[in-house]
């Protein structure tokens, strides 16, 4: 297909050997000399005034080095609306509110001391759903905003909306209209590696933070601000990212525990580590929020979509993190999945006394694709059409600009739909469900795949540095969290610069050594890193080739001299290598420098390390070493959020998933028989890690569809652990998965690749729900689709009464 | 969670240790250690291991009964050919308990003594009418398994008493048994389970015994349903009526594993699936 050496070649990921042999250092494994352990005292109420905090018993416990509260530390505000505090002073608004913290010589003492802190409260009534919180006169979660101005209601002041075309005209043009309300539950990102950090100050007040983060540079900014609160203006935070046991969005904001570690470290003058156990991870970290969407869609008599109208209400929980901005991503599928010209999208995010929410893989996209793709099937049924044909008819096309202003460059959606239908033998199989309890369903996805501009810069810097042996050291500020970023980056650097993958080494992500990167989210990691790497590799080659004009002939001369001496049958090469030694004729591949057109003689080839040493130790002095940086900023717009308009990504990924299910009509259980995932990935960089991304995302999609839910009772998490929070196990994933990779070779992508991190989990749930409907004729509109919900719906269906 | 761990060499020694203050018996530890870690019970000062006691470690056939040492790991019980051949309901139950790793250490005695309403070995042992052998400092006694459970986590075991063996009468020729169970995902406790044992003679159910798990404070025999079905031919209408009785005979709670309503539904489904002749069972049912 191309003359590339490594791109598209199945290559074992570089981090695998250390991971499987237990050598990888996660934050759990790291200890620094003199380190103390921190523990946090969390709230006992969902909503209450703090009357008094008594820390005396904790202070007396042997081994305790410091106990801090909001009363004896400077105020540190967190969150992009600054509505949260590292330690709470007057009021708690959720069960996980941090009231006090302890630093002690070991984790058990720290936890025991935290439990000895006595807090007196005046309990307040709470609001535990958006409906409750929106009632006239509902108790206010925040009486004032961050600037102290009184608040009138519980609506979070962020707005994402989009209105284009003419909804009423769209409705008039509709022959068929469907409407439905769909919900998604609170779910946990379920990283295998729980959250934790180590904060250490040097004697001058600079902080080093070993943090489980996906946004080291934004964290640096937030923590530098927090240093100011400690009176440490001008001091710096260095963020070092250890190996991550999963991120999935948990690392997209700073967390109170990180500031608390910082405060404890500053108070004690010793490094402080805070590490959550599984129960704490569930109860005290921000999950993915629940949401309710009302959708109306219509089509004309031919099945052409006429309008789409969506209203979303999200439960923000007590404070504001990035969960509140999910609608910014919902806009992409809401306006641009299939061609619809009349669109209305409104969203509302509401404070409650539930746990506050954060980002997770897909970031709003699965939440909204769930109603859109379920509703497409409902509409197709109304219109008497095959839902696959309806999707084809309204399929996105390359080169189109969508109502949101997204510029679709390459688009493999039609191929994805076709391949899925083909692999499932759609035409013969679908629609035969009733009676055999077997059904087929499909759903599609559009996702940002060339960054997602939500910040002033969506760029990524990179530094490539050569050592004397031809190894390329890569400093990149994005985060490998298990997704395979480093594997893609290594292949790209090897290919673009011209060495073997084994010669590429990726440094630890560290704000002190890596150039700025906005963070690893929005499926952007490999797309950005590899684009920046290609730019830097080009510069590096250029400078190397300039130097080679002088050094290459010397090296060849040396080789020839040696060869003449040692080889009696030596023949002079019939090639004027002196004349050919010019920057535009050099070639570097597999770590060997050659010139174009030269005969394949070893004497005319110079191994990169040898060349570099010869340049470095240049005989006449004045040699050099090599390092080049590049910064890739994708050609995108920061959208106008009030209008919901702007081309936020340099390219978009498409995909379709199709599934066959078996439904046990007596127990309501759903078994997946097989699954097809067809994804437009632009170009395959490493098939192994790409498949890994799709398999992993699919498993999360299956979990979202069938099993996962954080249960709460008046704000308290009832299932803080894997005993009662159910992820699919290998036994549930025990069905054939057929992956189809569609290559559309995106012109903006590195070697044509698009971002692939998130799309795999987006359409899974609606594909399964559509298949269940095909099997037994019941439509479940709230996730997860438990056997109980299916059985209830089946009973209602048999009794002839409506499901809801 | 600091405690002293005692690895006793004989039953006598273990009984002495277990009779001491603030001590707990530990077999596989797969219930006990989880409960301690979750602080569901206070940590004992002395942990008395009974895993390696020779008296508890044997599986043997004795006079038409299978004698299963209470300390035998489930994996070994499961590997026993007599169990596999004659006790299909017990085999099916043990095969789904936890995972292979759990079954390598978890014991049958621990499963029963822990007295979870969802203990998967209990419904099969109830329908096989097993006898439990107990040893205490004041002597030995035997008790029918149907008299053993008192409530969630509660049994008739006296402080310091050790279950030494489970004795299961081997069913006669022509006897059939089955175990059905549902959980949310693999490696999960049962949402509901049901065991059935019977002999089909001239199309009629003879000597029918039914027991259910996770649908009442203890694993329980469904005696009203049994009485209704005894001697009756298996017809769909009869099964439907029996399912109704079974649904009313259980007393489930609603929790994160399932609602009361759903658990009753499952019991009804399990009942008809266990008793329906194989050929007419629905595809995909276990
Ligand atoms: C991941 C996981 C999955 C599980 N899945 C299942 C499942 O699917 N089904 C199921 O039923 N259970 C399940 N369990 C629970 C547990 O594994 C079983 O109940 C197991 O049989 C307990 O046996 P044990 O030997 O580990 O008991 P232990 O934990 O050692 O003991 C349990 C209790 O019984 C007492 N005890 C033990 N042996 C004796 C004896 N001989 N005499 C007197 N008292 C005694 C102990 O003092 C303790 O109170 C699971 C557990 C885990 C961790």
């Amino acid at each position: 297909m191309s003359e590339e050496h490594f791109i598209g070649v199945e290559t074992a990921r570089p981090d695998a050997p250390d991971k499987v042999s237990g050598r990888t250092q996660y934050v759990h494994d790291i200890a620094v000399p003199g380190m103390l352990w921190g523990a946090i005292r969390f709230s006992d109420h969902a909503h209450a005034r703090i009357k008094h905090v008594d820390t005396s018993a904790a202070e007396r416990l042997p081994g305790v080095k410091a106990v801090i509260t909001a009363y004896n530390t400077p105020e540190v505000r967190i969150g992009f609306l600054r509505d949260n505090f590292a330690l709470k002073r007057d009021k708690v608004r959720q069960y996980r509110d941090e009231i006090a913290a302890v630093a002690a010589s070991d984790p058990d003492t720290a936890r025991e001391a935290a439990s000895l802190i006595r807090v007196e409260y005046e309990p307040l009534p709470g609001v535990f759903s958006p409906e409750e919180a929106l009632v006239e006169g509902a108790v206010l979660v925040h009486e004032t905003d961050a600037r102290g101005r009184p608040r009138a209601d519980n609506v979070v002041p962020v707005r994402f909306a989009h209105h284009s075309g003419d909804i009423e005209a769209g409705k008039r043009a509709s022959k068929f209209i469907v409407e439905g309300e769909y919900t998604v539950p609170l779910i946990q990102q379920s990283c295998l590696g729980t959250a934790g950090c180590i904060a250490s100050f040097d004697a001058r007040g600079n902080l080093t933070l070993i943090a489980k983060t996906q946004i080291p540079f934004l964290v640096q900014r937030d923590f530098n601000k927090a240093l100011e609160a400690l009176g440490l203006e001008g001091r710096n935070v260095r963020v070092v990212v250890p190996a991550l046991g999963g991120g999935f969005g948990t690392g997209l904001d700073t967390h109170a525990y990180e500031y608390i570690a910082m405060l404890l470290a500053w108070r004690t003058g010793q490094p402080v580590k805070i590490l959550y156990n599984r129960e704490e991870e569930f109860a005290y970290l921000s999950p993915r929020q629940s949401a309710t969407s009302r959708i109306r869609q219509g089509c004309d008599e031919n099945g052409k979509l006429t309008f789409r109208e969506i209203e979303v209400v999200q439960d923000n929980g007590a404070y504001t993190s990035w969960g509140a901005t999910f609608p910014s991503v919902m806009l992409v599928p809401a306006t641009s999945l299939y061609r619809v010209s009349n669109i209305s999208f409104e969203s509302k995010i509401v404070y409650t006394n539930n746990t506050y929410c954060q980002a997770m893989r897909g970031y709003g996209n699965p939440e909204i694709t769930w109603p859109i793709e379920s509703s497409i099937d409902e509409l197709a049924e109304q219109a008497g059409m095959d839902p696959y044909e309806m999707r084809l008819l309204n399929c996105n096309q390359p080169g189109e600009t969508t109502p949101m202003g997204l510029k679709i460059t390459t688009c493999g959606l039609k191929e994805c739909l076709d391949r899925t239908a083909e692999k499932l033998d759609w035409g013969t199989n679908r629609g035969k469900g009733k009676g055999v309890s077997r059904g087929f369903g499909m759903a599609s996805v559009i996702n940002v795949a060339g960054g997602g501009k939500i910040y002033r810069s969506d760029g990524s810097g990179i530094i490539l540095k050569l050592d004397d042996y031809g190894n390329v050291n890569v400093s990149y500020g994005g985060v490998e969290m298990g997704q395979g970023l480093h594997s893609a980056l290594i292949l790209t650097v090897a290919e673009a610069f011209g060495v073997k993958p084994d010669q590429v080494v990726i440094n630890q992500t560290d704000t002190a050594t890596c150039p700025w990167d906005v963070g690893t989210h929005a499926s952007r990691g490999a797309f950005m890193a590899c684009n920046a790497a290609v730019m830097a590799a080009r510069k590096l080659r250029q400078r190397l080739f300039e130097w080679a004009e002088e050094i290459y002939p010397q090296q060849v001369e040396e080789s020839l001299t040696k060869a003449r001496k040692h080889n009696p049958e030596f023949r002079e090469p019939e090639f004027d290598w002196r004349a050919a030694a010019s920057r535009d004729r050099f070639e570097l591949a597999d770590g060997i420098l050659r010139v174009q057109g030269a005969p394949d003689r070893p004497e005319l080839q110079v191994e990169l390390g040898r060349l570099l040493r010869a340049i470095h130790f240049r005989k006449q002095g004045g040699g050099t070493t090599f390092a080049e940086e590049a910064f890739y900023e994708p050609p995108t717009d920061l959208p106008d959020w009030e209008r919901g308009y702007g081309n936020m990504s340099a390219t978009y990924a498409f995909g379709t998933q199709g599934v066959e299910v078996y439904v046990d009509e007596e127990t309501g259980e759903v078994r997946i028989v097989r699954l097809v995932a067809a994804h437009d990935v632009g170009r395959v960089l490493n098939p192994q890690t790409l498949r890994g991304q799709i398999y992993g995302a699919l498993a999360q999609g299956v979990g979202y569809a069938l099993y996962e839910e954080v249960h709460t009772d008046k704000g308290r998490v009832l299932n803080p652990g894997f005993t009662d929070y159910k992820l699919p196990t290998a036994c549930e994933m025990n069905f054939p998965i057929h992956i189809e990779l569609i290559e559309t070779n995106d012109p903006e992508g590195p070697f044509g690749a698009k971002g692939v991190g998130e799309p795999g989990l987006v359409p899974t749930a609606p594909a399964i729900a559509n298949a269940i409907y095909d099997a037994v004729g019941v439509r479940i509109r709230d996730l997860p689709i438990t056997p109980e919900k299916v059985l209830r719906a089946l009973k209602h269906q048999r009794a002839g009464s409506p499901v809801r | 969670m600091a405690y002293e761990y005692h690895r006793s060499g004989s039953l006598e020694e273990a009984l002495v240790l277990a009779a001491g203050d603030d001590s707990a018996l530990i077999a596989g530890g797969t219930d006990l250690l989880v409960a301690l870690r979750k602080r569901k019970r206070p940590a004992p000062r002395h942990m008395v291991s009974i895993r390696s006691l020779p008296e508890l470690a044997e599986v043997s056939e004795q006079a038409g009964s299978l004698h299963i040492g209470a300390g035998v790991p489930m994996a070994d019980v499961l590997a026993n050919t007599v169990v596999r051949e004659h006790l299909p309901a017990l085999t099916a139950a043990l095969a789904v308990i936890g995972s292979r790793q759990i079954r390598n250490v978890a014991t049958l005695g621990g499963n029963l003594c822990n007295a979870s309403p969802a203990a998967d070995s209990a419904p099969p042992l109830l329908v096989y009418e097993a006898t439990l052998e107990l040893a205490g400092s004041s002597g030995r006694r035997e008790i029918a398994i149907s008299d053993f459970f008192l409530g969630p986590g509660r049994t008739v075991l006296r402080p310091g008493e050790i279950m030494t063996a489970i004795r299961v009468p081997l069913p006669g020729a022509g006897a059939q048994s089955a175990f059905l169970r549902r959980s949310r995902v693999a490696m999960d406790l049962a949402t509901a389970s049901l065991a059935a044992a019977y002999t089909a003679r001239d199309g009629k159910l003879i000597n029918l015994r039914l027991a259910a798990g996770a649908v009442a404070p203890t694993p329980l025999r469904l005696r009203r349903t049994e009485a209704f079905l005894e001697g009756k031919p298996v017809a769909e209408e009869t099964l439907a009526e029996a399912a109704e009785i079974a649904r009313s005979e259980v007393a489930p709670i609603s929790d994160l594993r399932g609602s009361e309503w759903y658990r009753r539904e499952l019991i009804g489904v399990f009942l008809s699936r266990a008793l329906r002749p194989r050929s007419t069972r629905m595809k995909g049912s276990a």
Side-chain angles (χ1 to χ4, degrees), chain A residues 146-376:
Chain A
R147 287 192 227 155
R149 294 172 304 196
R151 294 181 43 87
D153 56 29
N154 284 315
V155 177
V156 179
V158 292
R159 193 180 129 82
F160 298 97
H162 173 97
H163 297 276
S164 58
D166 180 342
I167 287 284
E168 291 314 313
K171 285 183 183 166
R172 282 193 302 275
S174 304
K175 179 89 188 290
F176 306 100
I177 294 181
V178 291
E179 174 167 356
E181 192 176 282
Y182 290 83
T183 62
V184 290
L186 192 70
I187 70 163
Q188 230 263 347
Q189 296 87 347
S190 304
C191 299
L192 275 184
T194 54
C197 70
I198 301 173
S200 355
F201 278 97
D202 70 12
R204 296 183 303 151
N206 296 303
L207 174 69
T208 298
L209 188 71
I210 300 176
K212 188 177 178 243
T213 182
Q214 296 168 239
I215 48 160
F217 293 88
L218 302 188
V219 168
Q220 181 189 24
R221 185 200 53 177
D222 288 347
F223 274 89
N224 275 347
K225 221 175 265 173
L227 284 189
E228 287 174 22
L230 293 184
L232 296 170
E233 283 96 356
R235 295 293 160 216
N236 184 44
V237 178
R238 172 180 177 187
V239 180
V240 179
V241 186
L244 258 57
F248 303 119
T250 54
L252 287 188
D253 204 348
T254 56
H255 302 269
Y257 76 82
E258 293 164 331
Y259 296 95
I260 288 171
M262 173 188 84
L263 291 169
L264 288 169
W266 180 240
R267 173 62 53 89
T268 58
Q270 284 174 266
V272 172
K273 177 169 182 171
I274 292 182
L275 191 65
Y276 278 0
N277 63 28
R278 183 60 61 192
E279 288 70 27
E280 290 166 336
E281 177 100 352
F282 265 99
Y284 308 131
L285 210 67
S286 297
R288 166 178 227 144
Q289 74 272 63
S290 61
T292 301
S293 311
R294 178 152 281 284
I295 181 165
R296 279 172 291 275
Q297 275 190 114
C299 69
D300 65 16
E301 69 278 5
N302 301 318
K304 272 268 181 208
L305 294 173
T306 44
F307 78 98
R308 181 181 292 162
E309 200 174 12
I310 299 177
E311 294 126 43
V312 192
V313 180
Q314 291 189 123
D315 183 345
N316 191 53
Y319 302 101
T320 310
S321 178
W322 297 112
T325 67
F326 273 30
S328 66
V329 172
M330 291 180 177
L331 282 168
V332 171
T335 60
S336 310
L337 179 58
Y338 308 120
R339 305 175 106 177
V340 203
S341 36
N342 304 301
I343 308 259
S344 161
F345 176 88
E346 281 290 342
S347 62
K348 192 177 268 180
I349 302 104
V350 186
Y351 281 122
T352 65
N353 294 108
N354 291 324
T355 183
Y356 83 88
C357 296
Q358 239 263 81
M360 188 176 164
R361 196 176 196 175
Y363 207 102
N365 196 343
E367 286 86 342
I368 210 70
T369 298
W370 164 237
I372 293 172
E373 279 292 42
S374 297
S375 149
I376 290 276

Side-chain angles (χ1 to χ4, degrees), chain A residues 511-535:
Chain A
T511 55
T513 58
C514 299
W516 191 88
D517 173 85
V518 75
T520 305
H521 61 249
S523 302
R524 72 188 285 288
F527 182 91
M528 294 291 155
C530 296
N531 265 329
V534 169
M535 289 165 67

Side-chain angles (χ1 to χ4, degrees), chain A residues 279 438 662 664 666-667 669 707 711 718-719 723-724 726-727 729 731-732 787-788 791-792 795, chain B residues 37-38 182-188 256-259 261-262 265-266 269 273 276 282-284:
Chain A
E279 288 70 27
R438 246 164 48 118
Y662 169 78
D664 183 329
E666 287 185 318
T667 63
E669 280 166 302
Y707 308 112
H711 294 274
L718 299 176
N719 53 338
T723 309
D724 280 313
K726 287 305 174 195
L727 292 174
T729 72
C731 300
E732 282 69 46
E788 192 156 344
L791 187 63
R792 242 179 234 285
K795 296 240 167 200
Chain B
R37 214 181 84 73
K38 290 194 172 170
R182 284 293 180 275
S183 58
R184 293 165 295 183
V185 294
M187 284 210 297
D188 185 18
L256 294 170
R257 278 181 276 142
S259 72
W261 171 80
Y262 187 61
E265 287 297 317
L266 283 181
V269 174
R273 286 189 181 177
R276 240 182 237 153
M282 281 186 60
K283 197 180 141 233

Side-chain angles (χ1 to χ4, degrees), chain B residues 24-34 41 50 56 70 74 96-99 102 105-111 113-114 118-121 157 161-164 181 187-189:
Chain B
L25 295 169
I26 179 165
T30 59
D31 276 319
L32 185 60
L33 295 178
V34 176
R41 57 181 284 177
I50 49 175
L56 274 62
M74 299 210 173
V96 295
I97 289 186
S99 58
I102 294 289
V105 290
T107 64
L108 208 48
N111 195 236
C113 296
N114 189 60
D120 282 314
S121 72
L157 277 177
E161 205 168 19
I162 295 177
M163 181 186 290
T164 53
R181 170 196 199 265
M187 284 210 297
D188 185 18
L189 290 182

